[in-house]
Amino acid sequence: MIQILKHFGWTWAGLIISDNDYGVHAARSFHSDLGPAGGGCLAYTEILPRIYNPVELKRIVDVMRTSTARVVIVFSHESYMINLMKEVVRQNVTGLQWMASEGWTSADVLQTPHLMPYLGGTLGIAIRRGEIPGLRDFMLQIRPDLHHNKTHGNSMVNLFWEHTFQCRFAPPPAGWVESGGELCTGQEIIENVETNFLDVSNLRPEYNVYKAVYALAYALDDMLQCEPRRGPFSNNTCAHLQRLEPWQLMHYLEKVNFTTTFGDRVSFDENGDALPVYDIMNWVWLPDGTTKVQRVGEVKRSAFKGEELTLDEDKIFWNFESKQPPRSVCSESCPPGTRMARKKGEPECCFDCVPCSEGKISNSTDSMECTSCPEDFWSSPQHDHCVPKKTEFLSYHEPLGICLTTISLLGTYICVVVLGIFIHHHSTPIVRANNSELSFLLLVSLKFCFLCSLLFIGRPRLWTCQLRHAAFGVSFVLCVSCILVKTMVVLAVFRASKPGGESSLKWFGAVQQRGTVLVLTSVQAAICTVWLVSASPVPHKNTQYHSGKIVYECAVGSTVGFAVLLGYIGLLAVLSCLLAFLARNLPDSFNEAKLITFSMLIFCAVWVAFVPAYISSPGKYADAVEVFAILASSFGLLVALFGPKCYIIMFRPERNTKKAIMGRGTDT
């Protein structure tokens, strides 16, 4: 019966049993077998009273009617069922799928038209029907014993004969002949009488007896084949039919294994139990109001395959409007993407379906737990499978990356154009003023500053991570060093123009200027080298910013190294800004110190704002902030330092004279 419940997915059923050993043993088996391993639960277990008790029966039917279980299993004999069905009919409880034990599966008294609206479609278990070859012929040959001595009791055959032919054997009872009764001759033809005695089409208990007798016969035959001094018992002895012990017969019964002519295999398991075979019966409610009990399948157990259920579902009659099996569950199955959460205080079959949390999935129905996705995967929107996490980095293919790349290349192109203008006009006073070599070097370093920003765009790799900050640090130190030296030269020139200051120029010749730039840049190169050797930046998959994304970034390796690199750039920038600020009021119609002061203020403002923005920006936006700071500061230096000079060279050539630069010319 549990196999049938499993087959139709009926995990929520009610159990009604009779108040005797038959029902109690059935209830005990159901409670043990229909637990977690059986995959089902009992909504209720009720015991039918031994004697007719309307109050108790009303309570039991009330439980059936109010329960959500649509399947009712009844283990009882037909006498208990008759009383129960009286109350079921009185309360008109329909819409239930009944399951019958073999005790009432074939009960004719319940197969009546007024009970079919309630019991139609019942599925029951019946003892296996079989055929016994030659049984009918044997019965037709039975004849009564005409010389039986009635003082020792009537013969069973004689009693059957008298009942079938309505006659009496001599001597008949007093007054039998006088009342018109006939005497039995023993020659009556039994074939001409309609009697259930000759109906061998539905042999069930009889078939079991037939198999039991044959099992015993096979065991005895095996025992008689025993050869002396080769027996299975102590001292290799054999059992003797005249002195046969029960345990000796059991030894041979355990080994019995044969197949009947009806095709059923007879053997015993390790516990000595016969391997069961049951027919599954279905009560069909025919259109004319009659009932037909038909076989729709079987359940059998083999030593190797366990219990096997065979059902012909097309033949089953369902007493429901849908003509389909009913749904009997306490809770509907949890679909993939959810897990079962038991309801407190209720059976295991009653549960809620809780969606899996983010990053966890369940890919099967009725999952007990949600499983976490691997590190590089995330749960799908339905939480029923893991999908690769989206990867995020500042890409060349996204609008932000395209925009920053375009600006970087534009800055590089402008540097090249400005450098070309300066080379073409290298002999003019405005280019030669304040060391044109430093101006050329400054333009080259600015071009590197623009280009190094491209290392921050694209998928991080080991070489780009190691090179990006090193190139950025060295390029900007080279740039700021040139500006610092130019500022120092401006101060030295004007100090030399004062009495007693001629000696200051000897410390700022061309060689000293190149040397100063080289030394200052070498310090940054040394910082980068130590950083790369001790704790090199490496590509890193960050899963902390976004749970559903993998952010590819460059881990700086050493925060101290990164801070020292930025700090050194900041130190040179602040020093350049202070010196330029001191030289802002020096007499000169084209005072470059003012331009340097303005450019360094822009530079410092950009990088001061960069620090909090960089720290608070998640994922790829941190790289975008750093690229923006590089481009903004580079454009600030380029425009502030070279914009006015290019304007004069290209559009105001009359101001590109020594007199005009020294303040002795006339502005027009």
Side-chain angles (χ1 to χ4, degrees):
M1 297 183 86
I2 292 177
Q3 293 294 323
I4 297 174
L5 294 176
K6 289 181 179 180
H7 179 82
F8 292 108
W10 296 334
T11 59
W12 189 234
L15 177 64
I16 298 177
I17 61 174
S18 56
D19 188 12
N20 52 25
D21 288 346
Y22 179 74
V24 172
H25 287 310
R28 188 178 299 132
S29 297
F30 262 96
H31 280 283
S32 61
D33 297 341
L34 199 63
C41 303
L42 292 176
Y44 55 85
T45 301
E46 297 294 339
I47 301 176
L48 296 172
R50 287 178 180 268
I51 60 175
Y52 183 64
N53 186 339
V55 176
E56 180 64 11
L57 290 172
K58 180 180 182 303
R59 186 194 64 79
I60 293 174
V61 175
D62 284 339
V63 171
M64 295 166 51
R65 179 170 46 81
T66 57
S67 174
T68 56
R70 308 319 303 157
V71 174
V72 181
I73 306 167
V74 182
F75 261 87
S76 75
H77 296 291
E78 58 187 64
S79 58
Y80 288 87
M81 275 299 295
I82 292 172
N83 293 333
L84 176 64
M85 292 311 299
K86 289 179 181 178
E87 185 62 26
V88 169
V89 172
R90 193 188 70 80
Q91 294 194 30
N92 193 28
V93 180
T94 58
L96 296 178
Q97 175 63 48
W98 295 82
M99 291 187 66
S101 66
E102 83 284 353
W104 63 279
T105 294
S106 303
D108 294 335
V109 69
L110 296 172
Q111 299 168 19
T112 58
H114 80 283
L115 290 181
M116 279 304 98
Y118 309 94
L119 292 178
T122 295
L123 288 174
I125 300 296
I127 297 173
R128 171 76 158 173
R129 185 193 73 82
E131 294 180 359
I132 302 177
L135 178 61
R136 179 178 171 83
D137 295 337
F138 171 77
M139 289 180 175
L140 292 175
Q141 295 172 5
I142 291 177
R143 290 292 180 269
D145 184 3
L146 299 177
H147 304 288
H148 179 74
N149 188 354
K150 289 190 176 183
T151 60
H152 296 92
N154 289 327
S155 164
M156 181 183 296
V157 175
N158 288 11
L159 290 175
F160 164 72
W161 207 267
E162 290 179 345
H163 172 75
T164 302
F165 294 101
Q166 293 298 304
C167 61
R168 293 293 182 269
F169 286 100
W176 173 260
V177 176
E178 289 78 5
S179 62
E182 296 183 3
L183 292 178
C184 297
T185 65
Q187 301 302 317
E188 290 85 0
I189 302 176
I190 197 170
E191 291 181 85
N192 297 335
V193 181
E194 291 186 6
T195 173
N196 291 333
F197 177 72
L198 297 177
D199 183 9
V200 295
S201 63
N202 193 32
L203 302 177
R204 296 186 184 277
E206 301 86 349
Y207 183 57
N208 269 359
V209 173
Y210 167 78
K211 291 191 291 185
V213 171
Y214 263 85
L216 186 60
Y218 272 98
L220 291 173
D221 180 69
D222 190 17
M223 183 187 72
L224 294 175
Q225 303 299 322
C226 179
E227 298 181 10
R229 292 185 295 278
R230 293 185 180 181
F233 306 116
S234 61
N235 299 323
N236 298 324
T237 59
C238 297
H240 295 281
L241 192 60
Q242 292 76 13
R243 301 187 301 274
L244 181 63
E245 296 290 339
W247 58 268
Q248 292 175 323
L249 180 60
M250 284 296 299
H251 170 78
Y252 290 101
L253 273 174
E254 290 175 353
K255 299 191 295 181
V256 165
N257 191 341
F258 67 94
T259 302
T260 69
T261 56
F262 194 61
D264 290 334
R265 188 168 183 173
V266 179
S267 62
F268 300 91
D269 62 14
E270 63 277 4
N271 298 320
D273 296 325
L275 299 181
V277 180
Y278 292 100
D279 286 336
I280 300 174
M281 313 303 291
N282 179 226
W283 291 21
V284 182
W285 189 13
L286 300 175
D288 60 1
T290 59
T291 305
K292 174 186 175 184
V293 180
Q294 64 176 2
R295 179 180 179 273
V296 293
E298 67 177 13
V299 179
K300 62 181 179 181
R301 190 175 70 198
S302 64
F304 305 103
K305 298 181 180 179
E307 287 191 358
E308 291 182 277
L309 171 67
T310 305
L311 272 178
D312 187 354
E313 294 190 40
D314 295 333
K315 292 175 61 177
I316 298 177
F317 169 76
W318 302 106
N319 194 24
F320 304 97
E321 290 185 7
S322 64
K323 301 303 178 184
Q324 296 294 323
R327 186 85 174 144
S328 187
V329 295
C330 182
S331 300
E332 291 295 334
S333 296
C334 291
T338 62
R339 65 174 178 85
M340 295 192 300
R342 284 188 57 185
K343 294 181 179 179
K344 189 175 181 180
E346 297 191 25
E348 293 184 357
C349 297
C350 302
F351 48 83
D352 292 319
C353 296
V354 180
C356 293
S357 57
E358 293 296 324
K360 293 186 176 183
I361 65 156
S362 65
N363 55 8
S364 61
T365 303
D366 290 337
S367 294
M368 296 298 297
E369 296 292 339
C370 297
T371 56
S372 298
C373 290
E375 183 181 4
D376 292 347
F377 290 80
W378 194 245
S379 55
S380 64
Q382 296 78 25
H383 295 275
D384 56 357
H385 66 283
C386 293
V387 296
K389 287 183 178 180
K390 295 180 179 179
T391 57
E392 182 180 89
F393 55 87
L394 189 58
S395 171
Y396 286 108
H397 304 292
E398 61 179 301
L400 181 59
I402 294 173
C403 180
L404 294 175
T405 302
T406 302
I407 295 174
S408 174
L409 296 177
L410 178 62
T412 304
Y413 174 74
I414 293 174
C415 286
V416 173
V417 171
V418 172
L419 182 61
I421 293 173
F422 269 51
I423 292 174
H424 185 265
H425 298 88
H426 69 278
S427 59
T428 60
I430 200 166
V431 175
R432 297 179 60 189
N434 197 2
N435 195 341
S436 59
E437 185 178 339
L438 284 179
S439 296
F440 294 148
L441 187 58
L442 179 58
L443 283 170
V444 172
S445 64
L446 281 174
K447 184 174 70 172
F448 287 146
C449 289
F450 281 114
L451 290 176
C452 78
S453 65
L454 297 177
L455 295 173
F456 292 83
I457 305 173
R459 189 187 187 96
R461 304 188 184 280
L462 180 60
W463 69 272
T464 58
C465 288
Q466 292 176 337
L467 191 59
R468 62 167 59 173
H469 288 110
F472 153 71
V474 172
S475 299
F476 266 89
V477 164
L478 178 60
C479 177
V480 177
S481 297
C482 292
I483 295 173
L484 178 61
V485 171
K486 286 172 72 71
T487 307
M488 295 170 66
V489 170
V490 170
L491 287 173
V493 168
F494 282 97
R495 286 188 63 184
S497 64
K498 296 180 180 181
E502 295 83 359
S503 60
S504 60
L505 279 177
K506 67 179 180 179
W507 298 104
F508 290 96
V511 176
Q512 287 81 358
Q513 293 177 32
R514 296 192 202 99
T516 303
V517 171
L518 179 61
V519 170
L520 294 176
T521 305
S522 298
V523 173
Q524 183 73 310
I527 293 173
C528 292
T529 302
V530 173
W531 179 19
L532 293 177
V533 171
S534 61
S536 173
V538 292
H540 173 62
K541 294 191 294 185
N542 195 323
T543 58
Q544 303 302 316
Y545 289 137
H546 300 286
S547 54
K549 294 181 181 178
I550 298 177
V551 178
Y552 284 94
E553 60 184 10
C554 287
V556 294
S558 172
T559 306
V560 175
F562 186 46
V564 171
L565 181 144
L566 291 179
Y568 184 65
I569 297 174
L571 176 64
L572 295 182
V574 170
L575 186 59
S576 298
C577 186
L578 289 176
L579 292 178
F581 181 76
L582 294 176
R584 73 189 186 284
N585 293 324
L586 296 177
D588 188 356
S589 63
F590 188 80
N591 190 351
E592 193 172 17
K594 292 182 180 179
L595 301 179
I596 293 175
T597 303
F598 181 66
S599 64
M600 295 315 297
L601 285 175
I602 296 174
F603 184 89
C604 292
V606 169
W607 286 102
V608 167
F610 159 77
V611 175
Y614 181 82
I615 294 174
S616 61
S617 298
K620 65 180 181 180
Y621 298 104
D623 290 335
V625 167
E626 190 164 0
V627 172
F628 178 80
I630 293 172
L631 296 178
S633 56
S634 299
F635 269 111
L637 295 177
L638 179 63
V639 173
L641 293 177
F642 294 98
K645 294 181 181 181
C646 289
Y647 175 75
I648 292 174
I649 292 173
M650 301 302 296
F651 303 106
R652 301 295 296 276
E654 69 277 6
R655 295 182 59 182
N656 191 6
T657 62
K658 188 175 182 180
K659 289 183 178 182
I661 292 175
M662 298 302 295
R664 294 191 290 270
T666 302
D667 294 341
T668 59

